[in-house]
Amino acid sequence: QVKLVESGGGLVQAGGSLRLSCAASGTTFRLNTIHWYRQSPGKQRDLVAKIWPSRSTSYADSVKGRFTISRDNAENTVYLQMNSLKPEDTAVYYCNLVSNGIDYWGKGTLVTVSS
């Protein structure tokens, strides 16, 4: 059973930083592409960043230059370092992977950025 657990969210002032973690179990983690999504109230869930098994990365335009995704295969964990946070970054952040054609999601962690 694949399980994803996010942590690290919280309340931060604009311009501040947070680091989110996503701990995975039940999967051959090093072979998975891992995604971070976010969802604000009343909006759709949007892809923020992804990291491939090769450690190549991609980012949404809205976070390029501010967010960094990384992975630690020994710890089965993916991180999202978020710097220069803006009020519009306020959302629930979810990590996601697809294994054998099935989408797996964590329960999310709330990030609130105050102005």
Side-chain angles (χ1 to χ4, degrees):
Q1 178 90 17
V2 176
K3 185 176 181 182
L4 300 171
V5 180
E6 302 95 336
S7 61
L11 174 64
V12 63
Q13 287 188 332
S17 298
L18 283 174
R19 189 177 80 155
L20 306 184
S21 300
C22 170
S25 59
T27 182
T28 309
F29 181 79
R30 70 184 187 279
L31 300 180
N32 294 130
T33 299
I34 309 294
H35 311 83
W36 279 103
Y37 284 80
R38 68 185 181 187
Q39 187 169 23
S40 304
K43 296 188 177 181
Q44 66 181 19
R45 193 171 293 188
D46 291 326
L47 180 63
V48 174
K50 65 190 293 186
I51 185 165
W52 280 268
S54 66
R55 300 181 189 271
S56 295
T57 59
S58 69
Y59 299 91
D61 287 343
S62 58
V63 307
K64 277 181 183 176
R66 299 189 298 122
F67 290 12
T68 303
I69 188 171
S70 61
R71 66 191 299 156
D72 183 339
N73 288 341
E75 296 294 329
N76 283 10
T77 301
V78 168
Y79 302 99
L80 186 68
Q81 178 67 44
M82 306 186 297
N83 299 329
S84 302
L85 283 161
K86 304 175 181 179
E88 51 263 44
D89 295 318
T90 295
V92 178
Y93 285 71
Y94 300 90
C95 66
N96 161 271
L97 65 83
V98 179
S99 178
N100 295 321
I102 300 172
D103 258 310
Y104 293 94
W105 296 89
K107 293 184 178 180
T109 186
L110 176 63
V111 172
T112 303
V113 185
S114 63
S115 56

